[in-house]
Each structure stands twice: as structure tokens, then as C-alpha cells.
Amino acid sequence: MTEGKPFSQACENNKQVILEKLSAVFINPGTVLEIGTGTGQHAVHFAGSLPHLKWQPSDHPRNYQLCKPWLAEANLPNISSPLPLDVSADSWQIPPINGVFSANTAHIMSWHEVEAMFRGVAAHLTKGDAFCLYGPFNYGGRFTSASNQQFDASLRQQNPVMGIRDMDDLKRIASENGLALESDFDMPANNRLLVWRKV
Ligand SMILES: C[S@@+](CC[C@H](N)C(=O)[O-])C[C@H]1O[C@@H](n2cnc3c(N)ncnc32)[C@H](O)[C@@H]1O
């Protein structure tokens, strides 16, 4: 039942394939911060399937309560109350964490916010911890599909600060913050699952 709750069809489509990757990355017990939780469908699916993790949803202060209906219905013991977190905030008011997950956020945030996300993630992870980032990405300035190119154009039309990010730029800011790209998985619908590791 999804009636009365915010709903994303994309989350329903991608949650199982993302879970398969996350279950191989987040193998040890610990707390995973989710950035830009949105509806909460991912949080519920991943926390329900990975009971050794404590899932910490968060989202921009204007959106962080959006996930509450999904969380309330699932009533899982290993999901914490969602936190308001704007990645561009000077300091992140979050509990200690052992990993980070974020889906479909890098093309919505401004580049300044993407940089702040990598900086904040790196500051809160310790050596060996993982940051899993899901979404569409470009390579060497090229789109991986015509549909991603159209999507990018529609994002930039809505707001010029949005847009699909290039792997070269992400690798640069990751490296500046002590994060190394461990895996870049090809996912359905021209998406990728990037695993960054704190070095
Ligand atoms: C396209 S939605 C993705 C939601 C969900 N992760 C999903 O995959 O369906 C983008 C999310 O990024 C969040 N977001 C945008 N700017 C942000 C910021 N500065 N700090 C934290 N979250 C932000 C939005 O509030 C929104 O929840």
C-alpha cells in the first residue's frame, strides 16, 4: 500500500538492484547516513533488508519530514528519526556514522552543494568507510545516453544550477577530500552506483 504516502516509481524500480550492491559494501554493523532521503522508500527497503545496520535518514530542512509516513508504516527498529541536513551547512548535526548512501542528489544539488556533500561526508567517515552515490553521471564530458542528455537539459531549464555531474569533476573533489573511487557499477536505466572509500 502506498496510498497517502509520497511515492517515487523510480525508487520502486531501482531499490532491489541498489540493495544488491549495498549489501556487499555495508557488510559490518554500523550507522549509515542517507543524504537526500526523499520519500523514504529506499530507507525502508534497505533498513528492512540489512538489519545489522542502523539507518539514519536525512534531507534538506525543507524536505526531511517527507519520509515520515513510510518510516511510520514500516516501524523498523533500525531506522532513526529523519534529521534535517543541508549538506552546505557549516557543520553537520549528525550522530557518529560508519557509511553514507545518497541517491539522485548530485544532479539536483548545485555544484557548490555537491562539493560540500563530499567535504562533509569525508569529514564524518573514518578510514575504510564507504560512501555510495547512485544516479546518472557523465564521462569525459559525454552523456552515457540520449535520455540522460534530455534529462540534463530539462534539469538546467528548471534551474541552471542543476545538472548531471561529470566523473572527472567528482573524482577531483573526492581526491581533494581523501575519498577514492573503489567501484563504478553499471545500473539499469543509464544510472551508476559509485562506491567511494575514505583513505
Ligand atoms: C531527486 S530527489 C532524490 C530523493 C531520493 N534519494 C530518491 O532517490 O528518490 C533529490 C533530493 O536531494 C535533496 N537535496 C537537494 N539539495 C540538498 C541539500 N543541499 N542538502 C541535502 N539534501 C538536498 C532534496 O531535498 C531531495 O530529497
Side-chain angles (χ1 to χ4, degrees):
M1 276 288 289
T2 52
E3 215 174 313
K5 306 198 293 295
F7 181 75
S8 156
Q9 185 58 49
C11 285
E12 290 307 302
N13 298 347
N14 62 33
K15 66 184 186 182
Q16 189 57 32
V17 287
I18 296 176
L19 172 64
E20 283 161 22
K21 300 301 182 199
L22 297 190
S23 59
V25 174
F26 297 133
I27 48 179
N28 298 319
T31 299
V32 173
L33 171 72
E34 182 178 6
I35 296 173
T37 290
T39 63
Q41 285 159 270
H42 281 156
V44 166
H45 191 65
F46 302 152
S49 309
L50 303 169
H52 61 287
L53 298 179
K54 188 146 196 88
W55 202 264
Q56 177 59 71
S58 78
D59 208 329
H60 193 280
R62 67 177 169 257
N63 281 341
Y64 81 105
Q65 306 214 51
L66 195 70
C67 63
K68 284 189 169 174
W70 278 89
L71 269 47
E73 185 183 80
N75 195 25
L76 291 167
N78 62 329
I79 304 191
S80 305
S81 296
L83 293 174
L85 174 65
D86 177 349
V87 293
S88 63
D90 283 342
S91 79
W92 292 12
Q93 302 303 310
I94 58 168
I97 55 168
N98 312 95
V100 178
F101 169 74
S102 191
N104 291 317
T105 47
H107 56 270
I108 299 296
M109 294 172 181
S110 67
W111 179 247
H112 162 76
E113 290 170 318
V114 175
E115 288 181 305
M117 173 164 69
F118 273 77
R119 198 165 47 242
V121 165
H124 285 83
L125 294 183
T126 48
K127 190 170 184 254
D129 290 342
F131 169 31
C132 294
L133 182 62
Y134 172 88
F137 300 100
N138 289 345
Y139 294 82
R142 294 220 168 107
F143 294 98
T144 61
S145 67
S147 63
N148 277 2
Q149 186 165 10
Q150 285 157 14
F151 180 49
D152 178 78
S154 77
L155 287 169
R156 290 177 195 276
Q157 197 175 24
Q158 284 172 60
N159 187 338
V161 304
M162 299 198 291
I164 294 180
R165 308 302 168 192
D166 196 278
M167 285 301 291
D168 292 339
D169 296 326
L170 293 181
K171 282 190 204 161
R172 180 175 47 76
I173 57 168
S175 140
E176 284 167 7
N177 287 287
L179 291 163
L181 185 65
E182 177 179 88
S183 308
D184 175 359
F185 294 109
D186 188 23
M187 304 293 278
N190 305 303
N191 287 300
R192 316 292 302 180
L193 191 281
L194 311 176
V195 182
W196 306 93
R197 194 68 73 171
K198 182 79 189 288
V199 290

